[in-house]
Amino acid sequence: MSAIHIVRDYPHPPAKVWRAVTDPALIPLWTATGAGARPEGFATTVGTEFQFIAEPKPGWSGIVDCVVLEVDEPRLLRYSWTDHGGGETTEVAYRIESHTAGARFIYDHTGFTGTGGFFMAQILGHVRRKMLRVGLPAVLDDIDEAGRLRPSSSLRRQA
């Protein structure tokens, strides 16, 4: 079985990181460095069914169907992940911990099986690493402690 495991430390409080990764208005800003997915119908309530919608690509509709499985705000969000066209269901978990001068963000995407799953984990892993290395830090730097984009934010054009 293949998986994606990424650990990143950010010089921001855990509550701010939580807000950036769970606010539907902010999510597309940090995912823009990947496929640019926006959540439709997302809420941090167990049982919520939602979709991530991105630009379609050859062989992919751009839609992922998800269900929120577990929430422990501001420490844990876990949801299922299934390509809208079918296929196996995998799981994504965001874990946020206090760490030195900020927060440690742990991203896990598990449940990939077989050769196809191995390659999917490789492709998605590359994209997720970039989103967490480039996209999320930019959003964290451009939002205030309440999670609102600063008036001078260059990200406002994307919002």
Side-chain angles (χ1 to χ4, degrees):
M1 193 172 302
S2 298
I4 302 165
H5 177 75
I6 304 167
V7 178
R8 298 282 305 169
D9 293 335
Y10 301 108
H12 300 279
K16 187 176 183 182
V17 175
W18 175 264
R19 178 69 183 262
V21 300
T22 62
D23 183 322
L26 298 175
I27 293 169
L29 300 179
W30 62 270
T31 64
T33 54
R38 72 182 189 291
E40 291 288 330
F42 175 75
T44 55
T45 305
V46 172
T48 298
E49 295 179 13
F50 69 100
Q51 293 181 316
F52 278 117
I53 300 175
E55 282 292 317
K57 300 196 182 320
W60 182 53
S61 70
I63 301 172
V64 177
D65 298 314
C66 304
V67 178
V68 176
L69 302 172
E70 186 177 3
V71 177
D72 182 13
E73 183 178 342
R75 292 177 284 282
L76 173 68
L77 172 66
R78 191 170 60 86
Y79 56 90
S80 65
W81 174 281
T82 309
D83 180 65
H84 190 66
E88 66 185 351
T89 297
T90 57
E91 285 189 9
V92 175
Y94 302 163
R95 289 178 177 76
I96 302 169
E97 304 170 349
S98 291
H99 179 70
T100 315
R104 173 163 286 166
F105 182 79
I106 302 162
Y107 175 94
D108 285 300
H109 192 158
T110 59
F112 298 100
T113 59
T115 305
F118 171 80
F119 287 111
M120 183 58 66
Q122 295 299 307
I123 292 165
L124 289 176
H126 174 75
V127 171
R128 298 304 177 266
R129 282 179 185 80
K130 184 176 181 186
M131 288 177 0
L132 298 177
R133 185 184 72 248
V134 178
L136 187 55
V139 170
L140 289 167
D141 288 345
D142 274 8
I143 60 175
D144 62 20
E145 296 311 311
R148 294 181 302 264
L149 281 175
R150 298 183 200 306
S152 61
S153 172
S154 62
L155 298 174
R156 280 199 173 278
R157 292 186 292 274
Q158 297 175 39

